[in-house]
Amino acid sequence: MKIEFDNLGPLYRCKVGLGDLTILTGLNNTGKTYVTYGVFGLLAGWRHWLEMPSFDDTAKLLTVTGTAPLDLSDFSGEALRPHLVKLGHAYRDNLARVLAADPQHLQNVKVHLHMDECPRVEDLNINLQQTFPSGQSISFTKAPNELIGRLALTASNASASPVATGIPPEFFVSRWLSETVAELVFQRCFPRVYIASTERTGAAIFQRELNLGRNRLIEMLADLKPGEKPDPWTLMQRMASSYAFPVQQNVDFLNPSNLEPLQHQESALVTKNANILDALERIAGGTYKVTKEGGAYFSPASERGLRLRLGESSSAVRSLLDITYYIKHVLRPGDCFMIDEPELNLHPKNQRLLARLIGRLINSGVKVFLTTHSDYVVRELNTLILLASKAKSQPELLKELNYTEDELVDCSRVRFYRTCEELLSVDGGKRRRRMPVLEEIKVTNERGIEVKSFDEEIDDMNKIQDTILYSGAIDAKKSV
């Protein structure tokens, strides 16, 4: 999947293809957050904007006769592209809500969705059954290498006719078919996604107060005059969040009423990869515990009996809360895990450890999407890429440098982007102008990831310090 935006915030053009590891870098205020939030909003909310064709005729035939064929040829291979075009248009119309931005600032935005190869419905083996409150059931089956599925109604009473007992309404059946086909076809295009936004530190410390819907409702009711009745339409308009969609998701996830039950389950990912849990605890420096009444607590590894509230803990502990909980209790292979500035509040040592954890996540089947300003994170990921190219020919190198194979990342799995300016012809004009774009930089086995903006700043700092130190040496010689 490639997602292309035109005129998104400060960026004139950007196209993002998701790799197993996708990295965005660039100067401040160059559009990285808009791109990240834009990608997240599409992956997380495509169901809201996908326009499915009507299944009313199929539902009517099914409820009348008890059986019906379901032709899926409109959703296979190249036939999928028109649906993606419509989805891109619908998403563009809702992008201002996703970004919590002024619609006037986004009125020229365009969204295009591209797939190198659309998935084939023929490959699906479908065997589903849906039971309705009446006891009536619908079975939906399809064998591999076929495009026609088969629907059948089943009565709750085996001796009764399936079309004579508690038939669900046609509109209900049509809606179920629409949602089911959408999931079967499009979930292979859009992975399940979560984002750890840069607001995660604040959301963690104020997790008990940040019940956004409740707070807005209290504010609205408090504004009413004595005896005044609330207007439902006005309430709905004001209940709409002024926060970007990714931030809302972050805040909702960190609510203690959500985290507390989560800690009683273990994600499929860490069940098979215990070393990921060890790495998480090593980076955080301890473990977390959540109660509905008191919220989240942190116990340092050095003092297991001590329980610190998040307000008493370091900013690093707060910034790692949602990352730790999502990986430990929710994340599964096939998901996309987005982290906006993974280096947030972390010492360089822990930034490097987090980069190595990312390598383990990728090798466990998770897609990771990062935006970062950290030279430490990028260089450590670069080390994993360079070591991957040498691991077979020099296996002793891993042991010498204290790395393991489950951390290494092949360069072919990495997509690296940076914001920059490029000479372009704008709106068909002959004259070219420097326009802000998102540029993809090739990642190679020989050099790995190269970030010119980081290297230039580091070189500049080194020159300045050399000049200062050298000038001191010259002054000393003069005095002698």
Side-chain angles (χ1 to χ4, degrees), residues 149-384:
R150 295 163 185 81
L151 301 167
L153 281 174
T154 306
S156 55
N157 183 347
S159 62
S161 168
V163 295
T165 55
I167 301 173
E170 288 178 18
F171 77 87
F172 199 90
V173 174
S174 179
R175 181 178 176 182
W176 179 80
L177 288 174
S178 179
E179 293 175 351
T180 301
V181 171
E183 287 295 325
L184 289 169
V185 173
F186 290 95
Q187 70 175 352
R188 296 184 295 167
C189 306
F190 302 100
R192 192 176 71 153
V193 64
Y194 178 74
I195 186 168
S197 72
T198 51
E199 282 74 18
R200 60 187 179 270
T201 303
I205 195 170
F206 297 115
Q207 59 177 199
R208 296 178 64 188
E209 289 76 21
L210 284 176
N211 187 323
L212 301 181
R214 182 198 65 188
N215 291 349
R216 285 194 297 275
L217 183 59
I218 291 172
E219 290 171 2
M220 288 184 289
L221 294 177
D223 289 341
L224 295 176
K225 298 176 182 177
E228 181 184 359
K229 293 183 178 180
D231 175 58
W233 178 246
T234 302
L235 286 178
M236 283 190 292
Q237 287 183 311
R238 291 188 60 187
M239 282 289 285
S241 176
S242 59
Y243 295 96
F245 179 50
V247 178
Q248 293 179 50
Q249 298 293 293
N250 229 172
V251 170
D252 290 342
F253 179 77
L254 285 168
N255 192 296
S257 62
N258 178 59
L259 291 184
E260 194 277 332
L262 272 183
Q263 64 191 3
H264 302 298
Q265 68 185 43
E266 188 174 76
S267 70
L269 186 78
V270 300
T271 299
K272 296 180 180 179
N273 302 276
N275 57 355
I276 289 178
L277 278 180
D278 297 336
L280 279 170
E281 186 170 339
R282 191 160 63 251
I283 296 167
T287 56
Y288 298 90
K289 178 81 173 177
V290 176
T291 64
K292 286 183 179 179
E293 301 78 20
Y297 294 89
F298 179 73
S299 295
S302 57
E303 298 181 69
R304 286 293 185 183
L306 181 63
R307 290 205 317 174
L308 299 174
R309 293 185 178 88
L310 291 187
E312 303 174 273
S313 305
S314 69
S315 56
V317 166
R318 296 195 290 272
S319 72
L320 290 169
L321 174 63
D322 72 326
I323 293 175
T324 300
Y325 258 71
Y326 198 82
I327 292 175
K328 187 175 180 180
H329 303 292
V330 183
L331 194 61
R332 65 190 181 194
D335 288 356
C336 180
F337 190 35
M338 304 179 76
I339 311 177
D340 198 357
E341 298 187 18
E343 67 271 17
L344 198 62
N345 301 312
L346 297 185
H347 184 276
K349 178 181 179 179
N350 280 338
Q351 292 183 40
R352 294 181 60 198
L353 289 175
L354 186 58
R356 295 174 69 170
L357 172 62
I358 287 168
R360 287 194 172 105
L361 292 178
I362 293 166
N363 290 319
S364 301
V366 175
K367 293 182 182 297
V368 179
F369 186 111
L370 305 176
T371 63
T372 182
H373 295 288
S374 171
D375 185 54
Y376 295 102
V377 169
V378 172
R379 284 182 183 273
E380 192 65 25
L381 290 171
N382 206 27
T383 296
L384 303 182

Side-chain angles (χ1 to χ4, degrees), residues 15 23 35 62 83 168 193 201 211 228 234 272 289 323 332-333 375 386 411 445 451 468 475:
K15 182 187 287 189
I23 306 171
V35 174
L62 179 63
H83 297 286
V193 64
T201 303
N211 187 323
E228 181 184 359
T234 302
K272 296 180 180 179
K289 178 81 173 177
I323 293 175
R332 65 190 181 194
D375 185 54
L386 296 175
C411 69
N445 279 325
V451 189
I468 295 170
D475 291 341

Side-chain angles (χ1 to χ4, degrees), residues 112-129:
H112 310 278
L113 307 180
H114 310 275
M115 296 197 73
D116 293 334
E117 185 177 351
C118 292
R120 288 162 32 97
V121 171
E122 298 94 304
D123 298 333
L124 290 174
N125 181 25
I126 302 172
N127 188 8
L128 299 174
Q129 183 161 310

